[in-house]
Amino acid sequence: MTWISKSVTGLGLLFLTHACYSAHEHSALHSTTAASLSSIASHTAAVPTVASLPIDISIETIVAVFTICLGLVLGTPELRPIQWRVWAGKIEREGEKGFSSSDGTVDKDYVGNPFRVLESRPGFIDIRKQRKEFAEWVREGGGTAEAS
Amino acid sequence: MSSSLSHPPAHLPPSVALQLSQQAPVTLRNTPSVISSYSLSTLWSAAETPELWTEYENLMLSCLRTGDEQSAGQCLERLTERFGAENERLMALRGLFQEAIAKDDAALKQVLGEYENILAKDPSNMPVSKRRIALLKTLGKTTEAITALNEFVDSSPTDAEAWAELADLYVTQGMYPQAIFALEEVLLITPYAWNIHARLGEILFMAGSTGDSSGDKYLAESLRRFCRSIELCDDYLRGYYGLKLATNKLLTSLPQASRQSKSDSTLPLPDLKTVERLNETATAKLSEIVRRSVSGECEGYDKGEVIAAKALLDSGATKTIR
């Protein structure tokens, strides 16, 4: 999906550059011709005609802007759930996976279930029990089973 | 790795804690030891972030858990250098460190004495009073811990953590009505905590299973709590598991209960039909969750929970076959 959005944005930028270049060329050409004309016949052209862009350049600019917008919109990441139950369900269902970007790093503001602290309760942590449990886990060969 | 360091490590599986503490020396070497706010070096060194100190704290807890006291001591030292020894939170952390390295009960009692000294000087020191309660629990003095915790919630009634701890202590003593009250207080503070709704449902279920006269009331209430937890969280395995258990139990007890008179003014017991439909929904959802997590589609669920759900489904299936 990303390459589509990137190529569309690139195409739009190309159009925009082309339109800008055309507009610049047009105005440069117009001013030189107007200047040379006025130097030849300064009395006849008392009011210089207003330089208006040709319609194709205007159309190209507008099309380019819309193409760039389309490309950027296509390239946005997936929207976050805004309903509480959907968001909570996503945390429960997918864990860290659901909140990581495409290159595998977990979002900075991801905290998992924010209410889990009410059950783990870091303020009342029983460190001796945890140490005992950990020692038991090691004795049962948890470390080797995990490593192998 | 850093993502798991920035959250309290109590719920982490032992393997992750081991990994964290094995990497502790490297982490300690790579992070700046002292960040002074008044020196020239602040111009070019990395800025101080609040996360750094949270990580130190969590690293210390992981190291203490795995028995790496040296690294834990180093974390504590750096935190003390930064915040000073008189910081309330650091007092509690230092006490925690001493609890962890204490050899026997006498040493623990000494730590408890230190806590009491600190609290005599400054009774409003919340972290230390929490540690004191936790230490009382460690020493096996549960009733004293409950008394102390009751005083604590009296002085700070909006501390959800303390209420939740109180509920757990009451459950260990089998005092279900008190535990339910404490958890309802938690829900007043955090009304959208879906795991607390499920926890309350579980305690109500336990209270309803003791077999006294008001058992059905508790079961019906537990059913409602589980439903609320599912309402707050799609595909909540724990909620559906509890819902299935509660409906199974209600389906066996409701037919007798409906014959009794319904004179009291509390919420009526749910319809038999509603309970049946809820049971079917829970079964369908549970089997879907088990199927999807076995096939590896969703990985957030705890493995043990999925196995338990599968066992529950299997036992239900054999019952219907018979």
Side-chain angles (χ1 to χ4, degrees), chain A residues 83-98 105-138 142-144 146-147, chain B residues 3 7-8 10-11 14-15 17-18 61 64-67 69 96 99-103 108 130-131 133-134 137-138 149 160-162 164-165 168 186 190 192-196 199 231-236 238 292 298-301:
Chain A
Q83 273 171 306
W84 183 278
R85 59 183 181 83
V86 178
W87 166 77
K90 197 174 169 190
I91 289 177
E92 289 291 331
R93 215 178 313 121
E94 299 172 22
E96 282 191 350
K97 268 267 168 69
T105 51
V106 182
D107 282 351
K108 256 206 167 144
D109 51 350
Y110 172 76
V111 289
N113 180 353
F115 301 109
R116 194 164 42 186
V117 286
L118 287 179
E119 287 192 281
S120 62
R121 290 189 290 272
F124 290 99
I125 170 180
D126 188 348
I127 196 77
R128 295 185 73 82
K129 198 169 136 206
Q130 280 198 0
R131 277 162 82 94
K132 225 175 276 166
E133 279 169 2
F134 185 79
E136 254 163 45
W137 176 77
V138 171
T144 53
E146 205 69 30
Chain B
S3 74
H7 309 305
H11 60 267
S15 56
L18 183 65
L61 293 180
L64 279 183
R65 185 170 162 193
T66 54
E69 280 141 21
L96 184 72
E99 273 177 49
I101 60 171
K103 292 273 180 294
L108 278 182
K130 282 188 179 182
R131 285 292 344 138
I133 292 159
K137 197 177 82 176
T138 312
L149 202 48
E161 194 187 14
E165 177 77 19
D168 260 16
V186 176
T190 58
Y192 299 124
W194 58 94
N195 57 343
I196 297 299
R199 176 81 191 134
E231 196 181 8
L232 285 169
C233 176
D234 278 350
D235 296 342
Y236 190 33
R238 191 171 162 189
R292 286 177 58 180
C298 26
E299 303 170 5
Y301 294 118

Side-chain angles (χ1 to χ4, degrees), chain B residues 45-104:
Chain B
S45 63
E48 176 183 11
T49 54
E51 287 84 24
L52 175 69
W53 306 109
T54 321
E55 279 173 21
Y56 269 134
E57 196 181 324
N58 294 331
L59 186 64
M60 179 186 155
L61 293 180
S62 286
C63 288
L64 279 183
R65 185 170 162 193
T66 54
D68 183 0
E69 280 141 21
Q70 203 185 349
S71 300
Q74 221 171 336
C75 291
L76 183 64
E77 211 171 283
R78 289 186 186 183
L79 282 168
T80 316
E81 261 172 49
R82 172 64 181 82
F83 295 103
E86 291 304 300
N87 186 293
E88 291 186 354
R89 198 157 161 170
L90 265 180
M91 283 173 163
L93 272 183
R94 199 171 328 112
L96 184 72
F97 183 70
Q98 282 162 355
E99 273 177 49
I101 60 171
K103 292 273 180 294
D104 48 5

